[in-house]
Amino acid sequence: VVVHTQNEITKLMKELRPTLLDELGLPAAISRYAKDSLESLGINVFTEFKGVEERLPTEVEVTLFRIAQGTIGNILEHAEAKNVSIRLECNANECVLDVKDDGKGFDVSKITRVDKGGRGAGLFTMKERARLVGGECSVKSQPGKGTRIVVKVPLKGFVADAEDKSIDS
């Protein structure tokens, strides 16, 4: 029982802060996760990262990584895409994560709440994650025209955390 409990605690800790982030940093973690998840199914993954040479504040990194995970999960489960583009660009004020796929798309206006089967939970979770760090998440999609998710997260208010990381290193 003790070993099982210890394994469960370790698993929960890793889920709270993905080890990929610690080991690789945000750009490489997103790229690795996307390629490992999508390319094995024949989906082409294109990534572009700008302005992320330095580590970002912990809350921002975890939020953007979790949203990228959710987006990739939705692509796997629903999109039937052939190509996925992931772009992350940061400047002194904000980070913008832009994920596009050429999948089957959907009518965004029909997802107004999480239904009993769980449909819509991923989108609402992504929006809530962005909101919790002062950001926003927009979803654009049309049947037959793929999906685009854009997340904007401000960096103001997180500067002290980013500076603390560079001092500790």
Side-chain angles (χ1 to χ4, degrees):
V1 172
V2 172
V3 171
H4 176 73
T5 302
Q6 184 177 8
N7 289 339
E8 287 300 308
I9 290 171
T10 302
K11 181 180 165 188
L12 287 170
M13 288 171 57
K14 286 181 179 180
E15 288 175 3
L16 290 173
R17 172 115 178 126
T19 46
L20 276 179
L21 281 178
D22 291 329
E23 294 170 5
L24 304 175
L26 183 61
I30 289 174
S31 184
R32 163 91 52 89
Y33 186 81
K35 290 180 181 198
D36 287 352
S37 300
L38 300 171
E39 286 183 345
S40 63
L41 299 174
I43 301 170
N44 300 308
V45 178
F46 306 94
T47 58
E48 182 180 2
F49 303 99
K50 291 185 178 180
V52 287
E53 294 76 25
E54 301 291 322
R55 294 299 299 259
L56 297 167
T58 300
E59 297 93 333
V60 173
E61 284 191 346
V62 171
T63 296
L64 291 172
F65 183 74
R66 291 296 189 203
I67 291 172
Q69 274 185 314
T71 302
I72 291 162
N74 282 346
I75 292 167
L76 285 169
E77 192 171 340
H78 306 290
E80 298 176 14
K82 299 283 184 238
N83 299 289
V84 174
S85 166
I86 302 171
R87 179 179 155 97
L88 176 64
E89 185 168 358
C90 299
N91 60 38
N93 298 316
E94 71 178 358
C95 286
V96 178
L97 175 65
D98 187 343
V99 182
K100 292 185 253 187
D101 71 59
D102 63 355
K104 65 182 183 178
F106 63 98
D107 184 348
V108 177
S109 69
K110 290 186 177 181
I111 310 290
T112 57
R113 60 178 165 66
V114 178
D115 71 18
K116 290 178 185 176
R119 184 181 160 118
L123 294 176
F124 286 101
T125 300
M126 286 186 270
K127 289 181 178 190
E128 183 61 21
R129 284 185 190 277
R131 211 174 7 257
L132 287 171
V133 293
E136 59 187 45
C137 175
S138 67
V139 179
K140 295 179 180 151
S141 187
Q142 291 180 351
K145 298 194 177 191
T147 300
R148 181 177 187 185
I149 295 182
V150 178
V151 180
K152 295 180 181 181
V153 175
L155 292 177
K156 298 294 184 191
F158 294 106
V159 177
D161 180 33
E163 288 172 357
D164 288 346
K165 278 188 181 176
S166 61
I167 292 169
D168 292 340
S169 301

